[in-house]
Amino acid sequence: MPAYRPQDLEKKWQDHWQQHNTFRADNDSSKPKYYVLDMFPYPSGAGLHVGHPLGYIASDIVARYQRLQGRNVLHPMGFDSFGLPAEQYAIQTGQHPAVTTEKNIETYIRQLQQLGFSYDWEREVRTSDPDYYKWTQWIFLKLFNSWYNLDTDRAEHIRTLQEKFAENGSAGIRAAGEADDRHDFSAGQWQSFTEKQKLAAILPYRLAYQQDTYVNWCAALGTVLSNDEVKDGLSERGGYPVERRLMPQWNLRITAYADRLLQGLNTLDWPDAVKEMQRNWIGKSIGAEVTFPVQGHENTDIKVYTTRVDTIYGATFLVLAPEHELVDQLTTPAQRADVDEYIAATKRRSERDRMSDVKHVSGVFTGAYAANPVDGTPVPIWLADYVLAGYGTGAVMAVPSGDQRDYLFAKHFDLPIPAISDAQKDLDQQADPTKEGRYINSGIVNGLTYKEATAKLIAFLEEKGLGKGKVNFRLRDAIFGRQRYWGEPIPIYYKDGTAYGVAEADLPLVLPEIDEYKPTEHGEPPLGRAKGWKYKGQYEFELSTMPGWAGSSWYYLRYMDPHNADRFVSEEAEQYWGQVDLYMGGAEHATGHLLYSRFWYLFLKDLGLVTHSEPFQKLINQGMILGRSSTIYLLPYLWSMWVGFETTTKVPETISLPTVYISKGVLDRARKGQQSAADKAAIEAVMHQAFNEWGVESSIPFSTETVPLEYEDAAWFNVDISIVKDDLLDLERFKKSRSDYNTAYYITEPDGSFICGNEIEKMSKSKYNVVTPDELVDKYGADALRLYEMFLGPLEQFKPWNTNGISGVATFLKRFWRLFHPEDGSLAVTDEAPTPAELKTLHRVIQKVAHDIEKFSFNTSVSTFMIAVNELTALGTHKRAILEPMVILLSPFAPHLAEELWEELGHKSGSISHAAYPEFREEFLVEANVTYPVAINGKVRDQRQFAATATAAEIETAILESDFLSRFGEGKAAKKVVVVPGRMVNVVV
């Protein structure tokens, strides 16, 4: 038999699995089910790097292990294939996004298959496939045709709302959403409404509705961006300016489910950090809504929501969001210019930047005043960008003595900061939000405690019609429209300016072909370019498309029944597979995908289309594999810019000086003042050579006095790690990589080497630190890569990548192979009976691997395998009774090698996935004998071996009858013998 060559046998088994659909999951099985899911990948053009498969390997180990446990395992894969990157590439090249996406998916599938993942590829789905997004559109229509009834605490079809309107008008209806957006009408008025008027009355109740909403608008990209896609006022992709703009947008009323989303977290086996992120994002608070009448503006009020109504007497100013609808009305002529300037500046900042910036105080006075509702005191109205129009009411009751941000604002603009409690301290230095003590300077609540004051103030405000107690959520409705091409068309058309849903029978509404993928000349989304694209040939379609998270909010359900043309998932398939048993993915999706998926699932639950309360019962966040970046340093010297400094020699302004790179070792020693004579000589030699060859030596004679070297300010940039080994740069390859590198100058170490700096950070193409799985699979094999990624450390932790370490795992696999093929010869497995030592090693592995996989502790399983192979090699083990179970145990981790050996052992090709996990028998771990340390007066003098079943009395007798006392007792008699079973013996003399 030839030596172990993973590249040959791995391709053999990958082809076998694909041809025989080895991992097909059956929707009609008597076996218990297990659904293990990987988060939907977006197929980027870069393909996978070694950090991406970490979670996939872990989930695949679990999937293979669960099959060995006799379960029917659903382990699918598909692609979140709509997205902005493909669209931007289309805009730049004119190539249809579908072409780019298809090519990228082919790369992903090839890479995933070469790693041996046990996916049921027959269930693959892609969000950009019309057969898939037909059902995304169908779910949207269900949302569009539903409202949330607070009395039943569930979504209902819009017809139940219409029935209520017909019976009693709008009176008494308790629906999720803002009551201020709706109009009151009687049953008679409803009956007299035209169709258009009825639809306008219904719109503010729908779970999918259109409303003017502040969004992140990027003119260069021609689209709305999510907060995650904006950083420091620029688009994350391309770095283009982004501004806040009020635009008509489709929204989904996720706020209707806020409390249920919050309560459901208590039932989930998720990381605490993820659950806490969702709790904070939902942000439930109990407080009061308070109305501040605006002075000089009749019937104009400002509503604020506060969790500290007890502090209302300390409200010395109001702060509005710059986008607040009343700003234009309230701004006085004297303040108009300042307000307009401030608003313009705010538009250039994202919501995230505005909320997170606590270092800088900014604001502008509108010139208007409101009246404090409890005592009528005038309260100045300011604008500040830390208040957001889309959160709460877009207005804040500022109490500087109790809130640090308000305190800093008041200090900056010299506004009053009165104390409101006798327990507040150090108000000359900072705010004090204490709820202790009793109130002062607080009118009707003077002398009361926090609870007493809160209750009295809410009662007073409700009595006067100026406020009410209210539960609020930080969560906002989800903006659902994107002004892009490469996304699901929203199935809405317009008749006389009113939105209608496309008939379900007309789905899917397929993306039309267009000539270019950018907005029209009139600023419409790219779909505005579609020629003759109208519903029924006469009605205009909605031109926005759905966001990327639409298709990924329900894909796990489609995997259950991916080819069903009549239903998004059959009742039978959904009831059989139920919840996802294990979901593997990144924590970065906590407040995006994971929250939206739960929202969609709860909605489908209300419609009776799914059977559980939550989609994903267990979630594991795999950590990140970090790359090792290499950096090269530029020697900084004061003449490295265009020359024009005052010197004794006039230097032409057209001269620039040569680029000089310095080895990290030389640089470090220079920074520490530990330069050797060799270092100084090397630096001077290179600098003189550079200045001479550059033709500037005559103008700028080099010396450290005329051209000072600024070692502390050395600039650096990343270099490709493929030309760096152990921090040593391959200078010749580096010089050949770019022409300007070849003409630069290099200060090396005394031995001629060039050392790079290094940093452990996220793998990224921009850092040139990406390691692709392809090159490692070619060299070491997929099984070695799978084992090595698991061996790096605990699954949830961040781990640095070091390619050198994979060779050790590859060596382990060769040693495992040689248990079957000594000296890489022919199969040498025998049917001899195993020894107790061999059985002990085997059953320790059976027990440990099962425990580790159940606890997702894969790195310790790999260690266990390595120890076991060392022990079996030392024992000269080649016995079927030991090696056959060992192959099964290793198969989830190294499936290709396991399949090959399983076949060689005489089993049907490709059948190891259907084998049974070996039975653990504890008796094989029981020691026959125990070695006891034997001490005299606590000092160990000898060791004796006894049967594991020996009693304390038997051990005592044996010690006293032995030569122990004669050898170590110095002639003294034993007073007593203390036996600690299984641990030690102590003779007291």
Side-chain angles (χ1 to χ4, degrees):
M1 183 72 185
Y4 169 56
R5 293 189 177 87
Q7 293 79 4
D8 297 335
L9 66 88
E10 288 177 356
K11 184 66 169 66
K12 166 188 170 181
W13 289 110
Q14 288 160 15
D15 290 343
H16 178 94
W17 296 331
Q18 188 171 0
Q19 292 164 11
H20 293 83
N21 296 317
T22 301
F23 309 114
R24 178 191 289 142
D26 190 350
N27 281 5
D28 183 18
S29 174
S30 59
K31 294 180 179 180
K33 68 91 182 180
Y34 192 88
Y35 187 175
V36 55
L37 180 66
D38 294 312
M39 280 194 184
F40 228 12
Y42 172 76
S44 69
L48 297 173
H49 62 61
V50 292
H52 292 131
L54 181 68
Y56 300 157
I57 296 169
S59 65
D60 193 59
I61 290 170
V62 174
R64 290 176 177 274
Y65 169 77
Q66 292 294 342
R67 290 191 190 95
L68 296 176
Q69 294 290 345
R71 294 182 175 88
N72 180 29
V73 176
L74 174 56
H75 188 34
M77 177 51 69
F79 299 94
D80 190 8
S81 47
F82 278 128
L84 185 58
E87 180 153 347
Q88 287 305 298
Y89 188 75
I91 292 172
Q92 295 163 10
T93 65
Q95 185 180 72
H96 197 288
V99 176
T100 308
T101 301
E102 178 66 29
K103 181 180 178 181
N104 294 347
I105 288 176
E106 289 175 2
T107 299
Y108 262 68
I109 290 177
R110 176 186 61 77
Q111 290 184 306
L112 292 170
Q113 289 181 340
Q114 77 173 0
L115 290 171
F117 297 132
S118 60
Y119 293 129
D120 181 354
W121 284 105
E122 289 186 334
R123 293 176 182 260
E124 179 199 343
V125 298
R126 303 177 183 185
T127 56
S128 58
D129 183 345
D131 289 340
Y132 179 88
Y133 69 69
K134 165 187 177 178
W135 296 106
T136 308
Q137 293 172 335
W138 180 83
I139 295 172
F140 173 84
L141 288 175
K142 295 296 183 186
L143 286 158
F144 179 69
N145 289 315
S146 297
W147 69 295
Y148 199 93
N149 188 341
L150 292 176
D151 290 328
T152 59
D153 199 24
R154 60 186 289 272
E156 297 179 4
H157 195 279
I158 212 75
R159 63 173 168 267
T160 66
L161 179 66
Q162 293 171 310
E163 290 167 359
K164 290 178 180 292
F165 286 164
E167 185 176 351
N168 295 310
S170 60
I173 292 178
R174 297 179 64 248
E178 292 298 326
D180 292 347
D181 296 335
R182 299 160 183 163
H183 300 290
D184 295 331
F185 49 85
S186 66
Q189 289 173 314
W190 169 259
Q191 299 291 356
S192 67
F193 283 171
T194 64
E195 179 185 28
K196 184 172 183 177
Q197 288 173 321
K198 286 183 176 181
L199 291 175
I202 290 170
L203 181 63
Y205 292 85
R206 296 184 187 271
L207 291 184
Y209 64 95
Q210 200 173 33
Q211 186 180 65
D212 284 348
T213 305
Y214 278 97
V215 296
N216 299 315
W217 172 252
C218 180
L221 296 177
T223 187
V224 167
L225 300 176
S226 68
N227 285 333
D228 290 339
E229 296 169 318
V230 181
K231 184 174 177 59
D232 298 327
L234 301 175
S235 63
E236 190 172 56
R237 184 169 185 83
Y240 301 113
V242 176
E243 68 173 56
R244 298 290 293 166
R245 179 180 290 186
L246 191 64
M247 296 178 64
Q249 286 291 320
W250 282 96
N251 295 264
L252 298 189
R253 207 179 297 279
I254 188 175
T255 51
Y257 289 85
D259 208 44
R260 288 168 65 182
L261 289 168
L262 200 59
Q263 296 305 315
L265 291 171
N266 298 326
T267 69
L268 299 178
D269 184 6
W270 285 18
D272 289 339
V274 173
K275 292 197 284 188
E276 193 60 24
M277 279 190 278
Q278 288 207 0
R279 288 191 183 101
N280 291 335
W281 192 259
I282 295 167
K284 183 177 182 179
S285 59
I286 299 173
E289 187 176 79
V290 183
T291 300
F292 282 72
V294 179
Q295 295 183 342
H297 293 264
E298 190 175 352
N299 298 323
T300 301
D301 300 321
I302 294 174
K303 289 185 177 180
V304 302
Y305 176 80
T306 176
T307 58
R308 293 294 306 273
V309 69
D310 58 297
T311 66
I312 193 168
Y313 282 96
T316 57
F317 58 101
L318 292 182
V319 184
L320 305 186
E323 307 91 346
H324 196 285
E325 60 184 4
L326 293 178
V327 170
D328 186 61
Q329 177 184 343
L330 300 181
T331 302
T332 62
Q335 295 298 115
R336 177 67 61 184
D338 290 343
V339 167
D340 288 348
E341 182 181 352
Y342 189 77
I343 291 174
T346 300
K347 287 181 178 180
R348 296 190 288 270
R349 305 187 71 200
S350 71
E351 285 190 352
R352 176 166 295 181
D353 290 340
R354 288 164 58 180
M355 292 174 69
S356 61
D357 185 4
V358 296
K359 295 181 179 179
H360 303 99
V361 177
S362 70
V364 63
F365 180 43
T366 64
Y369 290 82
N372 191 315
V374 291
D375 62 5
T377 303
V379 180
I381 303 170
W382 287 70
L383 307 185
D385 64 3
Y386 71 84
V387 181
L388 305 176
Y391 287 75
T393 64
V396 169
M397 177 185 88
V399 182
S401 70
D403 180 273
Q404 187 62 20
R405 199 157 199 172
D406 295 343
Y407 180 90
L408 295 174
F409 192 94
K411 280 286 188 182
H412 186 80
F413 291 106
D414 197 24
L415 298 169
I417 307 176
I420 52 171
S421 167
D422 60 13
Q424 287 180 315
K425 299 177 181 178
D426 303 323
L427 291 183
D428 59 330
Q429 301 174 38
Q430 62 186 5
D432 184 352
T434 183
K435 296 178 182 179
E436 303 300 323
R438 295 181 180 273
Y439 290 89
I440 60 174
N441 304 321
S442 296
I444 63 173
V445 295
N446 274 335
L448 300 185
T449 64
Y450 164 72
K451 287 186 177 179
E452 293 168 341
T454 299
K456 185 167 185 175
L457 284 166
I458 290 177
F460 174 83
L461 291 168
E462 289 180 345
E463 179 186 346
K464 300 296 184 183
L466 292 170
K468 60 183 178 180
K470 186 177 181 181
V471 175
N472 203 31
F473 294 91
R474 184 180 296 115
L475 181 68
R476 298 295 92 196
D477 284 341
I479 298 173
F480 197 66
R482 297 291 187 269
Q483 286 62 51
R484 302 174 186 167
Y485 171 75
W486 192 232
E488 300 94 331
I490 295 178
I492 292 291
Y493 68 93
Y494 295 92
K495 183 169 67 173
D496 298 329
T498 297
Y500 290 79
V502 169
E504 291 180 7
D506 293 329
L507 299 179
L509 174 58
V510 180
L511 272 175
E513 294 295 326
I514 57 177
D515 57 350
E516 289 186 273
Y517 304 101
K518 58 185 181 181
T520 69
E521 291 78 6
H522 305 293
E524 295 176 314
L527 287 180
R529 295 178 175 276
K531 305 297 184 184
W533 191 54
K534 294 185 178 182
Y535 189 55
K536 306 294 186 182
Q538 55 182 325
Y539 302 116
E540 300 290 341
F541 280 118
E542 168 62 48
L543 299 182
S544 296
T545 52
M546 298 186 193
W549 55 265
S552 63
S553 290
W554 71 281
Y555 74 107
Y556 57 93
L557 292 168
R558 190 60 176 173
Y559 279 145
M560 299 176 183
D561 195 15
H563 307 298
N564 193 328
D566 301 320
R567 209 170 186 272
F568 76 111
V569 58
S570 71
E571 292 184 42
E572 297 78 12
E574 191 279 327
Q575 289 171 7
Y576 176 72
W577 292 111
Q579 291 175 298
V580 173
D581 296 285
L582 173 65
Y583 199 12
M584 191 78 68
E588 66 273 14
H589 299 291
T591 56
H593 160 66
L594 287 170
L595 193 62
Y596 296 138
S597 296
R598 296 180 61 220
F599 159 44
W600 278 42
Y601 191 87
L602 288 173
F603 170 69
L604 294 172
K605 171 76 172 177
D606 287 349
L607 269 55
L609 299 173
V610 294
T611 52
H612 289 267
S613 297
E614 291 283 344
F616 318 121
Q617 180 54 35
K618 184 171 184 63
L619 171 73
I620 292 182
N621 299 136
Q622 78 275 11
M624 186 182 294
I625 290 182
L626 303 172
R628 183 184 176 90
S629 301
S630 292
T631 52
I632 188 171
Y633 292 82
L634 279 163
L635 179 66
Y637 48 100
L638 292 184
W639 292 95
S640 60
M641 307 291 287
W642 292 99
V643 177
F645 298 102
E646 290 294 330
T647 64
T648 55
T649 305
K650 182 61 179 174
V651 181
E653 293 187 2
T654 55
I655 291 180
S656 66
L657 297 188
T659 300
V660 181
Y661 296 105
I662 184 168
S663 175
K664 182 68 161 46
V666 180
L667 178 63
D668 285 346
R669 291 191 292 274
R671 284 174 168 174
K672 295 175 183 177
Q674 299 173 353
Q675 277 181 306
S676 66
D679 287 340
K680 292 179 181 178
I683 292 171
E684 291 192 6
V686 169
M687 295 301 290
H688 277 299
Q689 177 191 5
F691 275 46
N692 272 320
E693 293 181 359
W694 209 254
V696 296
E697 178 73 8
S698 59
S699 300
I700 314 171
F702 173 77
S703 76
T704 54
E705 286 75 29
T706 59
V707 186
L709 304 178
E710 301 292 316
Y711 297 110
E712 292 300 326
D713 297 327
W716 57 268
F717 60 88
N718 293 100
V719 295
D720 193 329
I721 59 170
S722 66
I723 57 175
V724 181
K725 184 175 182 180
D726 296 329
D727 290 336
L728 294 179
L729 177 69
D730 186 330
L731 261 180
E732 295 309 309
R733 289 179 62 189
F734 180 73
K735 291 177 181 179
K736 291 177 182 177
S737 64
R738 231 169 65 178
S739 59
D740 57 320
Y741 294 162
N742 196 40
T743 57
Y745 300 84
Y746 299 85
I747 299 170
T748 62
E749 300 296 319
D751 63 0
S753 64
F754 193 96
I755 300 175
C756 289
N758 67 76
E759 188 172 350
I760 303 300
E761 56 190 341
K762 183 179 179 180
M763 280 194 184
S764 167
K765 287 191 299 181
S766 65
K767 303 289 185 182
Y768 301 100
N769 65 348
V770 169
V771 179
T772 67
D774 303 53
E775 56 190 277
L776 296 176
V777 169
D778 289 344
K779 186 173 182 180
Y780 299 102
D783 285 342
L785 179 59
R786 289 170 62 110
L787 277 169
Y788 182 55
E789 293 216 6
M790 294 298 97
F791 189 52
L792 282 173
L795 179 64
E796 297 89 346
Q797 293 183 7
F798 282 37
K799 299 167 281 287
W801 178 264
N802 183 357
T803 299
N804 296 334
I806 196 173
S807 60
V809 174
T811 299
F812 155 73
L813 291 173
K814 291 177 183 177
R815 297 192 72 204
F816 190 89
W817 172 267
R818 286 172 183 160
L819 291 173
F820 299 78
H821 299 278
E823 304 301 324
D824 290 335
S826 58
L827 187 69
V829 176
T830 72
D831 291 323
E832 293 180 59
T835 66
E838 292 171 326
L839 288 168
K840 179 180 178 182
T841 295
L842 171 63
H843 283 269
R844 191 163 55 230
V845 178
I846 294 172
Q847 181 188 44
K848 187 71 167 68
V849 169
H851 175 271
D852 287 350
I853 294 178
E854 296 282 359
K855 298 295 183 182
F856 309 99
S857 180
F858 307 108
N859 59 313
T860 51
S861 286
V862 179
S863 299
T864 298
F865 284 127
M866 292 177 171
I867 293 169
V869 167
N870 288 341
E871 292 175 354
L872 295 176
T873 300
L875 292 169
T877 301
H878 304 296
K879 299 168 183 174
R880 178 182 294 271
I882 301 298
L883 297 185
E884 192 166 89
M886 284 292 293
V887 172
I888 297 174
L889 294 170
L890 186 65
S891 64
F893 296 82
H896 307 88
L897 173 59
E899 287 278 25
E900 183 71 15
L901 294 173
W902 190 248
E903 183 183 56
E904 288 189 5
L905 289 169
H907 299 283
K908 181 182 177 182
S909 297
S911 64
I912 198 169
S913 294
H914 307 294
Y917 191 83
E919 179 186 358
F920 169 64
R921 294 175 59 183
E922 190 171 3
E923 63 264 30
F924 291 124
L925 299 187
V926 176
E927 298 284 353
N929 297 301
V930 178
T931 299
Y932 282 80
V934 185
I936 287 184
N937 292 340
K939 186 175 182 179
V940 176
R941 307 302 295 271
D942 197 7
Q943 290 187 339
R944 298 292 173 101
Q945 196 171 73
F946 298 96
T949 56
T951 65
E954 290 170 341
I955 293 171
E956 178 180 345
T957 300
I959 290 293
L960 293 176
E961 291 178 353
S962 72
D963 62 350
F964 178 76
L965 274 176
S966 62
R967 291 172 60 201
F968 304 106
E970 299 178 353
K972 297 177 183 179
K975 291 182 179 180
K976 65 176 179 177
V977 179
V978 179
V979 178
V980 181
R983 297 186 62 184
M984 71 170 296
V985 178
N986 184 36
V987 180
V988 180
V989 298

